[in-house]
Amino acid sequence: AVLLFICCRPADTGRDVSLHNIVWRKPSNSSAGSMPIGNGDLAANVWVDGNGDVNCLLAKGDAWSGLGRLLKIGLVTISISPRAPLLVKDLEQILQLTNASIRIHGKEVELEVSIDVSSNTLRATVTASTHPVTVDVSIHIWRNRTRSFLPGESSSAYGSTCYLHQLYPDTLLSAPMNSLIWFHRNNYSVFRPIMQLQHLCGDKQKLCEQDPLLNRTFGASVRGESWDEGGDPASFERRSDTTLRSQYASLQHSISIVAHTAVTRDVSSWLTELKSTENQAHNSQTTAKLQHSSWWAGFWSRSFVDLACKPADYREKTLSDACWIERGWVLERYMQACSGRGEQPIKFNGNLFTVGGDGFDYDFRTWGGMYWWQNTRLLYWGMLSSGDFDLMTPLFSMYASTMPVHKERAARWYGHAGASFPEVMHFWGSMADAGYGCDRRQKPVWRVDNTYGRELRTGNLELLLMGLDYLEFTGDWTFAREILIPMANETITFYVEHYSRDIQGLLEISPAQCLETFHKAINPITEIAGLHQTLSTIIRILGAELSLEHREFYTEALKILPRIPLTAASSDHNLRNQTPASPSPSHSRWSKPEPADTAPSTPLNPHATSTATVLAPAQVWDPHASNIENPELYAIFPFRLFQTGKKPLVDHIPMHVAVDSYLRRRIQYDQGWMQNPIQAASLGLADEALRLVSARFKQPALRFPGFYLRSFDYTPDCDNGAVARAALQHMLIHHDARKIFLFPAWPGNGSASFRLHAPYETTVEATCVDGVVSEIEVQPPERLLDVAFPGRCQLPVHHSGTAEQRPQRARTQPEDPSRAARWLVEKTRRGLEQSDGV
């Protein structure tokens, strides 16, 4: 008989991620061959070059220039003399994922580099086993003169090009003699000109009083110590303006690099703060090491995905798909933890780990310092079920802190209440200056030049839904009261007041657009699906916290939503525009469009009927496609009106309509910010989801396998791995209100184990082997009643005999939740009695 152990014990420390440590035995030619480390705010690309020097390219999440570009802090090189011990001979460079450190072994010499989680301090130790060595630490400053942008370089200042300044140098201090200190200080700012251009300073210029760029100062200090045979330390001494050297050869050296950012009235104030930070870092070295190890151990214990990858697999010439996927998931979480706890959200276009390129310096990245919601959001959806809630705080904080700007935009531009943030946004809330329009002559204030974001507001609903999910997962009612409820009130108020009603009294969402793809639309599905999901969720989980007036407001708003738009699809996959039954005068602006561009000629579903009803991008839309999105699939993800295991709730549209919509989608190839893997997993298309996830994690990369080459944004391509990570988790677990669906899109063959999170502070650990669920643990235990199995992985059949005699269960219909719940509760009782809780 099959025995399923269901236990309710506290979580252990998780799986050992050291299996996926990255090991290199040859030096790198440049920063493109670097490994990442970080503490969530300060990060570094680390590599050993052909001379045996160790290079640390430092970046910080709040190092914003006066143009709003996110700059690097600087490059620090550690050199050992004599060079021979660490040169290429016997080199081994290991990224130790367990504690986010890099260990470098050379002949008779070892270095270890890490960045404290509790302070913005990079620590490096140099240990010689037999012969004492001398250590030099040098800084390399490329911002060393005032200059203009090179041709093509200004794309790294996107969003500030109406007021493009020159590029200004860093400052290098000449004292004290036992350290190196350099910084960049913004003596100019584009903040106020951009805010004034867009009429966002508000009453009496209150919203422009605090300039987040002007006088922002960021930089670092470098110090070093050596220990003699008696254990007494001696500080490194300055040998030039850019180099420190140990006073003598020793078996033990340490280097500390302390980074600091602040907006201060003068340089001396910043230096005082830097000195205080240095002292704290120096006095807390022992406790900092313990805190560092403890934090990373806690991080890895939150969740795991185990696809039965073994050490022997890494000794094979070709890495198995299971190892590719498992390692890709681990590295994606690791990089987000290294960069996701700073003042602002993770930058989608390269994160903190850009390596320079395109013929420009280390500060260059295409698309500049602005945040595109379409690209940024995908880094955060996967954090919910992996339990990385602390990494989500900067995202919510940025949009919440800019709410006054968005309210001013609604009032000043449109003359009504509410708030709506733009698709492309500076971290202080304004949109790109050139996107809005540098020349405002004879243009109304609300007229946005760039049609790609002119009427694009879908991100407001998606952020709201993400916040509602965050509340359901964490139970953080302080977040709900301080951030979520005000956000919900302003967002829904904007939609209700901004758009008119049609002849039936329903909301007519126009002028509007379907993402960046169809720039003219009426009632786009992205908004309708988003409003359905957010409003129903607000009413369900926030009702008790809302005033009677607000409960009625949300209930009435839900009643006036248009129907989900549907259309006919032919066997060649074309979407055809639907003509409204009762067209209003505004519909006459566009003639009936031609069919959309055809997708690849070979259908994913060879058994599809010649015609089918599918989701439509909008009730009416201009078919000219300006981008390669599938807007109609937003009803699947992120807005989850359709997912395997869930009953259709909106307009009684059956699940097969969503599946057909996916199979017949206009754009079928997959890369970058495209959502195909997540949508396939949401629909329970297990084989398709696995194929796409595997392909994602195998995408071409720099030497470090998590630094994917750019698809649309910049290298490293952050969305490539983020989509794969979120899709994999969707394959293993997803939810609908209190329901927990396990293995909803797992193919069923092979082995898959995980520990992931679900709403209501729930943790689930489960294993499926060849389609049979062999282990499951749920905390708290009463949440077992909410578990269902809608995919190919099913509970064991009550049947005696050998495994070969048991019926095979390739189910296509969801497991009956009530049967599963009763079975699980009974097995829990028996399992605890028979195995003493093990």
Side-chain angles (χ1 to χ4, degrees):
V2 179
L3 179 61
L4 175 66
F5 291 102
I6 306 175
C7 313
C8 303
R9 65 175 185 263
D12 60 22
T13 56
R15 303 298 167 96
D16 183 7
V17 295
S18 63
L19 168 65
H20 303 295
N21 286 351
I22 306 300
V23 182
W24 295 340
R25 291 183 172 84
K26 293 182 180 180
S28 297
N29 296 324
S30 68
S31 56
S34 59
M35 293 178 173
I37 56 172
N39 69 355
D41 182 26
L42 178 64
N45 297 70
V46 180
W47 73 98
V48 179
D49 63 29
N51 295 321
D53 294 337
V54 178
N55 300 276
C56 303
L57 180 60
L58 302 171
K60 200 167 182 298
D62 53 7
W64 300 101
S65 77
L67 280 172
R69 300 169 75 213
L70 187 61
L71 306 184
K72 296 289 188 180
I73 296 293
L75 175 63
V76 178
T77 298
I78 302 170
S79 305
I80 297 175
S81 299
R83 290 177 181 267
L86 186 59
L87 206 53
V88 193
K89 191 173 183 180
D90 298 331
L91 175 66
E92 186 177 64
Q93 180 178 341
I94 307 171
L95 174 60
Q96 301 177 132
L97 294 166
T98 305
N99 64 354
S101 66
I102 294 175
R103 178 165 292 182
I104 302 166
H105 299 271
K107 188 176 182 179
E108 301 181 1
V109 176
E110 179 176 297
L111 284 84
E112 186 159 354
V113 185
S114 63
I115 299 178
D116 287 352
V117 295
S118 55
S119 69
N120 283 318
T121 304
L122 182 147
R123 301 186 192 274
T125 59
V126 180
T127 304
S129 58
T130 54
H131 299 93
V133 295
T134 301
V135 175
D136 285 10
V137 184
S138 303
I139 59 174
H140 305 272
I141 297 177
W142 58 91
R143 297 185 294 263
N144 52 20
R145 61 186 176 87
T146 301
R147 67 176 181 86
S148 299
F149 281 97
L150 299 173
E153 189 181 15
S154 62
S155 64
S156 68
Y158 182 89
S160 305
T161 51
C162 296
Y163 306 98
L164 204 59
H165 280 246
Q166 290 185 304
L167 301 177
Y168 296 99
D170 292 351
T171 298
L172 177 64
L173 297 185
S174 57
M177 292 302 295
N178 65 345
S179 68
L180 302 173
I181 299 176
W182 77 102
F183 60 87
H184 188 91
R185 182 172 174 83
N186 297 335
N187 295 315
Y188 71 96
S189 168
V190 297
F191 166 75
R192 184 179 289 270
I194 292 177
M195 291 286 283
Q196 289 175 336
L197 174 75
Q198 298 175 22
H199 302 271
L200 297 176
C201 285
D203 185 42
K204 298 181 180 180
Q205 302 289 298
K206 287 184 179 179
L207 296 180
C208 291
E209 287 178 352
Q210 295 185 346
D211 190 322
L213 299 179
L214 188 64
N215 298 324
R216 181 175 289 254
T217 309
F218 49 89
S221 68
V222 181
R223 294 177 182 269
E225 287 185 324
S226 308
W227 282 266
D228 60 20
E229 293 180 356
D232 296 322
S235 298
F236 284 24
E237 293 182 342
R238 184 191 292 268
R239 293 305 172 110
S240 70
D241 288 343
T242 58
T243 302
L244 291 177
R245 178 174 296 172
S246 57
Q247 294 186 40
Y248 49 77
S250 173
L251 295 176
Q252 187 73 38
H253 305 268
S254 69
I255 299 106
S256 62
I257 305 170
V258 177
H260 182 61
T261 301
V263 177
T264 60
R265 66 179 183 275
D266 51 39
V267 171
S268 62
S269 299
W270 181 82
L271 289 171
T272 299
E273 293 182 15
L274 175 66
K275 180 65 175 178
S276 174
T277 304
E278 281 184 318
N279 291 338
Q280 292 174 12
H282 181 77
N283 295 332
S284 63
Q285 293 184 60
T286 302
T287 57
K289 188 172 183 179
L290 294 174
Q291 290 173 348
H292 183 86
S293 298
S294 176
W295 190 91
W296 280 100
F299 173 77
W300 291 119
S301 71
R302 295 173 186 173
S303 56
F304 67 78
V305 172
D306 183 348
L307 304 183
C309 180
K310 298 293 186 291
D313 295 325
Y314 276 102
R315 293 192 288 270
E316 299 294 329
K317 291 183 179 179
T318 303
L319 198 61
S320 67
D321 280 359
C323 288
W324 272 104
I325 295 171
E326 188 180 315
R327 183 183 69 176
W329 184 86
V330 168
L331 295 183
E332 189 63 29
R333 274 195 75 211
Y334 169 77
M335 288 186 293
Q336 292 179 6
C338 285
S339 57
R341 299 194 300 142
E343 184 177 339
Q344 273 83 41
I346 299 170
K347 282 296 284 134
F348 69 93
N349 49 342
N351 205 319
L352 295 179
F353 301 117
T354 55
V355 297
D358 297 328
F360 305 116
D361 61 28
Y362 288 122
D363 292 326
F364 181 81
R365 67 175 81 210
T366 54
W367 305 111
M370 302 195 72
Y371 287 91
W372 267 254
W373 173 257
Q374 163 78 329
N375 311 58
T376 302
R377 67 197 174 94
L378 295 165
L379 296 161
Y380 289 88
W381 274 116
M383 294 178 183
L384 287 163
S385 58
S386 63
D388 300 327
F389 308 121
D390 53 335
L391 305 187
M392 302 183 76
T393 301
L395 182 75
F396 294 128
S397 295
M398 182 179 76
Y399 285 100
S401 67
T402 56
M403 188 62 72
V405 175
H406 309 318
K407 291 173 66 176
E408 177 65 20
R409 182 183 295 109
R412 181 70 176 83
W413 290 19
Y414 307 118
H416 61 69
S420 175
F421 65 79
E423 166 68 17
V424 183
M425 190 182 89
H426 285 290
F427 72 85
W428 58 82
S430 66
M431 62 173 50
D433 56 358
Y436 177 67
C438 300
D439 184 357
R440 302 304 303 172
R441 290 174 294 183
Q442 299 182 343
K443 296 176 184 175
V445 64
W446 47 262
R447 179 71 175 185
V448 175
D449 280 4
N450 191 329
T451 60
Y452 281 83
R454 179 179 290 168
E455 303 293 345
L456 182 49
R457 313 188 197 283
T458 310
N460 291 265
L461 298 172
E462 188 173 356
L463 177 64
L464 179 54
L465 180 59
M466 189 182 290
L468 290 163
D469 280 359
Y470 178 88
L471 173 61
E472 282 204 281
F473 272 76
T474 65
D476 185 349
W477 284 97
T478 300
F479 164 80
R481 297 181 187 105
E482 295 180 357
I483 294 180
L484 182 59
I485 293 176
M487 180 189 297
N489 291 339
E490 299 298 343
T491 299
I492 303 304
T493 296
F494 183 94
Y495 273 91
V496 170
E497 296 202 12
H498 189 70
Y499 299 109
S500 60
R501 307 296 182 267
D502 65 15
I503 58 177
Q504 296 176 326
L506 300 179
L507 201 64
E508 181 174 274
I509 304 173
S510 175
Q513 61 189 86
C514 302
L515 306 179
E516 292 186 355
T517 295
F518 303 119
H519 291 184
K520 296 179 180 180
I522 297 171
N523 289 342
I525 194 172
T526 49
E527 314 306 298
I528 299 172
L531 285 166
H532 269 291
Q533 186 64 272
T534 55
L535 284 169
S536 59
T537 307
I538 287 169
I539 294 167
R540 178 172 57 82
I541 70 174
L542 292 179
E545 289 289 322
L546 301 175
S547 66
L548 176 61
E549 179 185 3
H550 275 109
R551 286 200 298 272
E552 292 177 347
F553 169 70
Y554 289 124
T555 301
E556 291 303 311
L558 187 59
K559 292 178 181 177
I560 63 172
L561 295 184
R563 294 179 66 85
I564 297 294
L566 302 175
T567 190
S570 63
S571 57
D572 65 0
H573 298 225
N574 287 343
L575 288 179
R576 290 179 177 167
N577 196 33
Q578 173 179 294
T579 302
S582 302
S584 66
S586 61
H587 295 157
S588 63
R589 287 175 295 184
W590 311 309
S591 59
K592 185 175 181 180
E594 295 297 322
D597 294 338
T598 59
S601 57
T602 303
L604 288 175
N605 181 5
H607 305 295
T609 57
S610 60
T611 61
T613 298
V614 295
L615 301 169
Q619 184 181 7
V620 178
W621 72 98
D622 183 338
H624 174 73
S626 299
N627 208 330
I628 51 173
E629 300 150 310
N630 295 306
E632 67 280 3
L633 300 187
Y634 265 55
I636 301 167
F637 176 85
F639 294 127
R640 303 198 303 268
L641 298 188
F642 305 93
Q643 62 178 5
T644 183
K646 178 176 181 175
K647 296 180 180 179
L649 298 179
V650 179
D651 299 338
H652 304 289
I653 301 172
M655 181 70 166
H656 72 78
V657 170
V659 174
D660 279 346
S661 302
Y662 175 84
L663 297 176
R664 299 169 181 272
R665 64 197 185 279
R666 186 178 66 93
I667 304 297
Q668 298 212 0
Y669 67 90
D670 182 65
Q671 61 181 0
W673 41 253
M674 304 176 91
Q675 305 178 140
N676 299 316
I678 306 176
Q679 289 159 344
S682 298
L683 296 173
L685 302 176
D687 297 327
E688 165 82 348
L690 183 63
R691 178 183 67 82
L692 293 172
V693 167
S694 178
R696 285 272 181 156
F697 284 133
K698 294 178 181 178
Q699 282 289 315
L702 298 178
R703 189 176 186 187
F704 179 69
F707 285 172
Y708 302 104
L709 302 184
R710 82 175 88 178
S711 297
F712 305 115
D713 303 322
Y714 202 57
T715 301
D717 187 314
C718 298
D719 283 342
N720 182 77
V723 169
R725 175 246 184 121
L728 178 60
Q729 292 167 204
H730 269 65
M731 294 170 68
L732 299 172
I733 185 172
H734 63 229
H735 72 280
D736 179 40
R738 293 194 65 89
K739 285 296 180 186
I740 303 172
F741 302 110
L742 299 188
F743 302 104
W746 188 250
N749 54 307
S751 172
S753 300
F754 67 83
R755 176 188 297 149
L756 293 168
H757 296 249
Y760 302 98
E761 301 174 73
T762 302
T763 305
V764 179
E765 189 167 336
T767 298
C768 176
V769 180
D770 294 332
V772 178
V773 179
S774 59
E775 294 183 27
I776 179 171
E777 302 174 7
V778 179
Q779 287 284 0
E782 60 267 23
R783 291 282 275 138
L784 283 167
L785 294 170
D786 300 314
V787 171
F789 299 86
R792 299 179 190 172
C793 287
Q794 293 291 309
L795 300 174
V797 179
H798 300 298
H799 187 280
S800 60
T802 64
E804 291 75 12
Q805 295 172 324
R806 292 197 305 271
Q808 297 300 307
R809 305 186 62 183
R811 295 178 59 98
T812 57
Q813 297 299 319
E815 176 73 61
D816 173 27
S818 61
R819 190 195 79 81
R822 291 193 301 271
W823 194 90
L824 287 168
V825 171
E826 180 60 25
K827 291 300 290 185
T828 300
R829 217 176 271 119
R830 294 177 184 174
L832 290 174
E833 290 172 356
Q834 296 175 5
S835 61
D836 198 20
V838 178

